[in-house]
């Protein structure tokens, strides 16, 4: 990344008079007052016949600096995670377009209310949900060495999406082995967000889904396997 664009000199060496515990943005530049990060691990179970899933367990480790109130910060992390999980697995925007001609007029947002736009509910919360705040991550640039916690954990919710994709990949490999394939891994396939039940069901690519995809792609000249690998469900992208 161009240093002049981000305000951070990645190649600058540490000054000799700089304390050992000084954060990098105290001497490499100030694109932000501080950096924050986190890591997430998610475990899911998928019903390949319906595309439904449940989030079995989630473990989060989040850098919030020196937490002013850990109880509030953990609650913020949990809320942001669930919001990101819903965004990447449930909340599908559908407009009136070429794939949804039954919505009128053209360009209208169909999923405009709680009846069609699904957000996470109580039963979508991970059955085991552990949040840990990173220790010894002080931030001398903010009040009481704290860091923002409201929005950064949002993207950690996509760990559920990628866990779903791993589960789908395993299901596809299982089908291939049942049909005598000796392949050690599944070929790359594009799986767009959100991972709704309909999309997961079709991407699992069992015999029923494969036949449906092949019929839908009739006349394309692709084999069934080619049709499955290039399949994308209809959606307002």
């Amino acid at each position: 990344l161009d240093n002049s664009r981000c305000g951070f000199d990645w190649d600058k060496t540490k000054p000799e008079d700089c304390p050992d515990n000084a954060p990098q943005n105290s001497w490499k530049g100030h694109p932000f007052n501080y950096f924050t990060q986190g890591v997430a691990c998610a475990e899911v179970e998928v019903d390949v016949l319906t595309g439904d899933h449940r989030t079995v367990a989630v473990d989060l480790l989040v850098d919030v600096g020196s937490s002013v109130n850990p109880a509030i910060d953990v609650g913020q992390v949990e809320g942001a995670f669930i919001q990101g999980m819903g965004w990447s697995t449930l909340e599908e925007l559908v407009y009136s377009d070429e794939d949804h001609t039954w919505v009128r007029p053209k360009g209208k947002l169909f999923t405009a209310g709680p009846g069609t736009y699904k957000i996470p509910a109580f039963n979508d919360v991970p059955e085991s949900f552990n949040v840990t705040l990173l220790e010894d991550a002080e931030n001398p640039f903010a009040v009481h060495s704290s860091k923002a916690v409201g929005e950064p954990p949002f993207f950690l919710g996509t760990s559920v999406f990628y866990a779903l994709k791993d589960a789908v990949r395993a299901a596809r490999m299982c089908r291939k082995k049942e049909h005598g394939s000796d392949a050690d891994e599944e070929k790359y396939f594009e799986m767009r967000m959100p991972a709704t039940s309909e999309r997961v069901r079709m991407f699992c690519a069992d015999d029923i889904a494969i036949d449906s995809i092949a019929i839908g792609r009739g006349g394309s000249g692709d084999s069934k396997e080619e049709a499955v690998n290039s399949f994308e469900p209809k959606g307002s992208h």
Side-chain angles (χ1 to χ4, degrees), residues 61-205:
L61 175 63
V62 184
D63 172 16
V64 298
S66 181
S67 177
V68 176
N69 189 321
I72 291 178
D73 286 345
V74 168
Q76 288 288 302
V77 170
E78 291 174 339
F81 178 88
I82 296 299
Q83 185 180 5
M85 181 186 73
W87 172 73
S88 60
T89 63
L90 296 172
E91 301 172 28
E92 183 176 20
L93 291 173
V94 175
Y95 290 89
S96 174
D97 51 25
E98 294 181 358
D99 288 333
H100 307 90
T101 56
W102 42 271
V103 182
R104 294 286 188 274
K106 192 170 184 179
K108 179 182 178 181
L109 176 63
F110 173 69
T111 51
T116 52
Y117 187 82
K118 302 301 180 181
I119 62 175
F122 292 113
N123 61 341
D124 294 310
V125 175
E127 296 174 15
S128 174
F129 196 4
N130 302 310
V131 177
T132 303
L133 304 181
L134 184 66
E135 297 180 355
D136 300 322
E138 296 184 355
N139 174 35
F141 297 100
V143 177
H144 293 298
S145 197
S146 61
K147 293 184 179 180
V149 65
E151 294 181 350
F154 175 91
F155 192 69
L156 296 180
T158 60
S159 61
V160 176
F161 170 84
Y162 292 109
L164 286 172
K165 187 172 183 180
D166 283 343
V168 168
R169 182 180 289 107
R172 292 163 73 110
M173 280 298 302
C174 183
R175 181 193 66 82
K176 287 186 176 181
K177 289 181 179 180
E178 289 176 352
H179 286 264
S181 173
D182 57 356
D184 294 329
E185 60 183 19
E186 172 65 23
K187 291 182 179 179
Y188 170 80
F189 63 96
E190 182 180 353
M191 183 171 168
R192 297 175 180 172
M193 294 182 184
T196 60
S197 296
E198 296 87 348
R199 294 185 180 188
V200 170
R201 170 67 184 91
M202 296 303 288
F203 275 118
C204 282

